[in-house]
Amino acid sequence: MANVPYPAHILSGQILSGVVDWAAMGPAGYQIGTAHDTIAAGDPVYQVRTGGRGYARAVATATGTMPAIGVAEAAAVSGASVRVIVSPGQVNVSGYNYSGHHGEDLWVPAVVGSPVTADPTTSGQYAQVIGFVVDTDSIYFRPGPMHQKGGGVW
């Protein structure tokens, strides 16, 4: 784990055991794998553990798509290579459009897409802060713990 930009204990309680592939993490805090669906730049993703290392879009309404462990650096179609940012830091995506939301928390969305500024409110959905808005086209990615509405922290 010498190339990991932050110690593993920081992630304790924030991701499920065995989700992050530390050996595959690059020195800049990213992982490369296969997209398991069409992913847009900046979409929160979870790590898929079937058919090799892969990533798909995280969705707060679907148990098997959480927790988000990173955000896609660029768009990728299913089957293509995708680079996922997993280390905390600023992420710039021209399509974000968070005008008027500076400093607000960002959550995994209830439908596929970019992070949203409102947490899921429906009982049974999974809530996870993944960072905050820096400016219109930038976020600070910092995944937090996940919890189920009406349930406990994972």
Side-chain angles (χ1 to χ4, degrees):
M1 291 189 6
N3 67 343
V4 177
Y6 51 90
H9 73 274
I10 289 174
L11 295 177
S12 176
Q14 295 183 12
I15 59 174
L16 298 176
S17 176
V19 172
V20 172
D21 186 349
W22 295 108
M25 186 179 300
Y30 65 87
Q31 295 183 14
I32 297 175
T34 303
H36 280 243
D37 59 10
T38 299
I39 300 170
D43 279 357
V45 297
Y46 71 99
Q47 192 168 33
V48 177
R49 285 299 204 174
T50 58
R53 188 178 337 100
Y55 301 93
R57 296 173 291 185
V59 183
T61 57
T63 306
T65 70
M66 292 289 284
I69 61 112
V71 291
E73 184 178 66
V77 297
S78 184
S81 179
V82 62
R83 185 166 149 152
V84 175
I85 299 166
V86 295
S87 180
Q90 187 164 327
V91 179
N92 304 310
V93 176
S94 62
Y96 271 153
N97 194 21
Y98 290 119
S99 180
H101 295 282
H102 182 271
E104 291 184 29
D105 283 338
L106 290 168
W107 302 80
V108 172
V111 295
V112 294
S114 297
V116 295
T117 56
D119 68 322
T121 57
T122 304
S123 182
Q125 289 184 342
Y126 298 90
Q128 181 187 14
V129 172
I130 60 164
F132 59 89
V133 176
V134 175
D135 62 32
T136 301
D137 294 327
S138 301
I139 70 169
Y140 189 86
F141 172 71
R142 183 189 64 224
M146 178 183 78
H147 68 276
Q148 187 174 17
K149 291 294 186 168
V153 175
W154 286 45

